[in-house]
Amino acid sequence: MSIFAFVKLHAPLLPQAVCFMTGIALSQWLHSVVIGLVATFLVLLLTYPLRHYPRLQTLGLSCLTVILGMTLGARQRLMPIATEETHIVRLASYWRGQLLDNYREWGISDEAYGVVAAMTLGDKSELDRDLKETYSKVGAAHILALSGLHLSIIYAIISLFIGWRRIRILSQSFIIVAIWAYALLTGMSPSVTRAALMISIYGLLSLGYRERMSVNTLAFTAIVMLLVNPMSLYNIGFQLSFMAVLAILLFNPLFNRLIPQRVLLRYRSVRLLWGMTTVSVSAQLGTAPLVAYYFGRFSTWFLLSNYLVIPLATVILYLTVFCVATFWWTALQQWVVAALSAVVAFMNHGLEALSRLPYSSIEHIRFSVLHVALIYIIIGSIYLMLSLRFPKARRIY
């Protein structure tokens, strides 16, 4: 089976998402939205009669998606939509400010405050420059940027307190609303929006007992976000977020096959450690070329740093929620705040120690767009070889 047939069979939305992104990237060559609309209509007319020729119709739909992406991209570029701050956005900004003020009142150190504010509310304004450099150097900067990891933990926390699980529609609806409220509170960055949309789809699918994410879900999320704002394609956070999740969805099931399933099922500690390893390596495969292209850096100790920050980030988010929830019991809150400060300090000191290790990062990398494309072609070839080696792990629907 060719890679094209494999992708079409297992993730039919992915090629359309790629075509849509390609169209947006090519929109600079389209100087009139009217021309794009006319071309879209003509291709649609030519494609419809080809319904008895599936391959030609697929080609026509791909061309249609590219032209649609060009048209929407040109529309956004030539006639940008003026956005005004709505009442809901102002209200979310107000409550974000109130929570940040509460963080200050806890009496934690400036470093701990900066990390907690960044990890929970997406506010990086108080992060120390040297501390940000340390996180970036060891490959842990992603923990300071709200993303799917953080929203997954928030999802788990909310689910933990939902007692009426028998009414699945009601409980999932409440969780989805809470996730979007939190996303709005943190400023709706592309990575947070992507994660909130995917979690919402996950929650809806779980009502039919389909408890897994897929490449199709990711592709659908990308299409929806780009329909709303085509220029999101050029946002670094959007690119890193989607490439990380795509690599995890593709490579994680394959890497899990490298250790016998009976070992993973028997030893919980091995399963947790290996799961953290496979997710970290998969995400690195997806984002390393882009990080090298934009920032000229590759963190060699990314795996060690993830072993440290992922468990501690989970603890920090739980403790922060607990601190906010115990505002009415000052004595207990102070104990929780002390624990929170200690965990953040431990994480910071651990990352500083890693940053002092020899060759902690490779600096001054100079990649062109062609270099990045070739690297991703190599990574795709590796995926194809692994998928042929472990055919039962190719579950990317």
Side-chain angles (χ1 to χ4, degrees):
M1 179 184 294
S2 69
I3 185 63
F4 301 104
F6 174 74
V7 171
K8 180 182 176 182
L9 176 63
H10 294 278
L13 282 181
L14 182 60
Q16 298 307 316
V18 173
C19 289
F20 192 54
M21 294 178 186
T22 303
I24 294 173
L26 295 174
S27 64
Q28 58 183 320
W29 303 104
L30 183 63
H31 302 293
S32 172
V33 176
V34 175
I35 294 176
L37 291 174
V38 172
T40 301
F41 180 71
L42 290 176
V43 173
L44 185 61
L45 286 179
L46 292 173
T47 302
Y48 179 74
L50 299 175
R51 59 186 182 276
H52 299 299
Y53 305 92
R55 293 186 178 182
L56 290 177
Q57 190 177 49
T58 300
L59 180 61
L61 289 175
S62 298
C63 293
L64 180 65
T65 307
V66 171
I67 295 173
L68 181 61
M70 292 179 66
T71 305
L72 291 177
R75 166 68 177 81
Q76 184 78 2
R77 180 171 49 83
L78 298 173
M79 295 177 286
I81 301 173
T83 56
E84 296 182 2
E85 194 177 69
T86 64
H87 175 70
I88 294 177
V89 172
R90 289 194 297 270
L91 186 63
S93 179
Y94 168 77
W95 282 109
R96 183 164 60 250
Q98 291 295 308
L99 284 172
L100 290 172
D101 290 341
N102 285 338
Y103 289 0
R104 280 292 189 192
E105 293 173 0
W106 292 346
I108 56 180
S109 66
D110 290 341
E111 277 196 354
Y113 170 82
V115 171
V116 173
M119 288 181 57
T120 58
L121 294 174
D123 182 2
K124 299 182 182 180
S125 60
E126 297 297 322
L127 278 173
D128 180 75
R129 184 175 180 179
D130 293 335
L131 187 62
K132 286 197 289 187
E133 175 65 17
T134 297
Y135 275 74
S136 176
K137 190 175 182 179
V138 298
H142 63 90
I143 213 68
L144 298 175
L146 286 173
S147 62
L149 171 65
H150 303 76
L151 259 70
S152 297
I153 297 172
I154 297 297
Y155 179 89
I157 293 174
I158 298 173
S159 300
L160 187 66
F161 291 100
I162 299 298
W164 13 284
R165 291 179 180 273
R166 291 185 179 180
I167 314 176
R168 292 180 63 85
I169 295 179
L170 190 60
S171 63
Q172 287 300 322
S173 299
F174 179 85
I175 292 172
I176 290 172
V177 170
I179 287 294
W180 280 105
Y182 177 73
L184 186 64
L185 182 67
T186 61
M188 295 286 288
S189 68
S191 59
V192 171
T193 305
R194 188 271 311 158
L197 188 53
M198 289 194 70
I199 288 175
S200 300
I201 296 172
Y202 174 86
L204 294 175
L205 290 178
S206 70
L207 296 177
Y209 299 94
R210 294 181 60 182
E211 300 278 354
R212 73 179 175 211
M213 285 295 185
S214 70
V215 173
N216 272 328
T217 305
L218 180 65
F220 175 77
T221 303
I223 292 172
V224 171
M225 290 183 64
L226 292 174
L227 282 172
V228 174
N229 182 13
M231 294 300 106
S232 294
L233 179 65
Y234 299 101
N235 182 281
I236 299 175
F238 177 92
Q239 296 174 15
L240 291 173
S241 176
F242 274 91
M243 289 308 300
V245 177
L246 178 61
I248 290 171
L249 290 172
L250 292 178
F251 281 97
N252 197 51
L254 298 174
F255 289 155
N256 281 332
R257 291 283 173 172
L258 297 178
I259 292 183
Q261 292 300 300
R262 63 179 182 277
V263 175
L264 296 177
L265 293 174
R266 182 174 181 181
Y267 302 102
R268 187 170 182 269
S269 58
V270 175
R271 184 169 69 252
L272 292 175
L273 184 62
W274 183 242
M276 201 183 308
T277 302
T278 58
V279 170
S280 298
V281 173
S282 299
Q284 193 71 11
L285 282 172
T287 59
L290 286 176
V291 171
Y293 173 71
Y294 285 115
F295 306 107
R297 165 178 285 170
F298 176 75
S299 303
T300 54
W301 299 112
F302 73 91
L303 197 54
L304 290 180
S305 66
N306 281 328
Y307 286 151
L308 177 67
V309 299
I310 292 177
L312 293 182
T314 304
V315 174
I316 289 170
L317 287 174
Y318 271 90
L319 289 176
T320 303
V321 171
F322 198 46
C323 284
V324 174
T326 55
F327 68 94
W328 52 276
W329 191 351
T330 306
L332 177 60
Q333 188 184 57
Q334 288 304 312
W335 280 98
V336 180
V337 167
L340 176 63
S341 299
V343 173
V344 174
F346 178 76
M347 183 171 70
N348 290 343
H349 292 320
L351 293 178
E352 287 173 4
L354 285 177
S355 69
R356 290 193 292 269
L357 292 176
Y359 308 108
S360 58
S361 68
I362 301 172
E363 305 288 343
H364 309 299
I365 300 173
R366 296 291 180 265
F367 277 172
S368 66
V369 175
L370 179 60
H371 290 141
V372 175
L374 289 175
I375 291 173
Y376 278 123
I377 290 174
I378 293 172
I379 293 173
S381 301
I382 293 173
Y383 168 74
L384 180 58
M385 289 188 294
L386 287 174
S387 64
L388 293 175
R389 174 66 179 84
F390 303 106
K392 293 183 179 180
R394 299 183 305 194
R395 297 174 180 175
I396 64 173
Y397 304 90

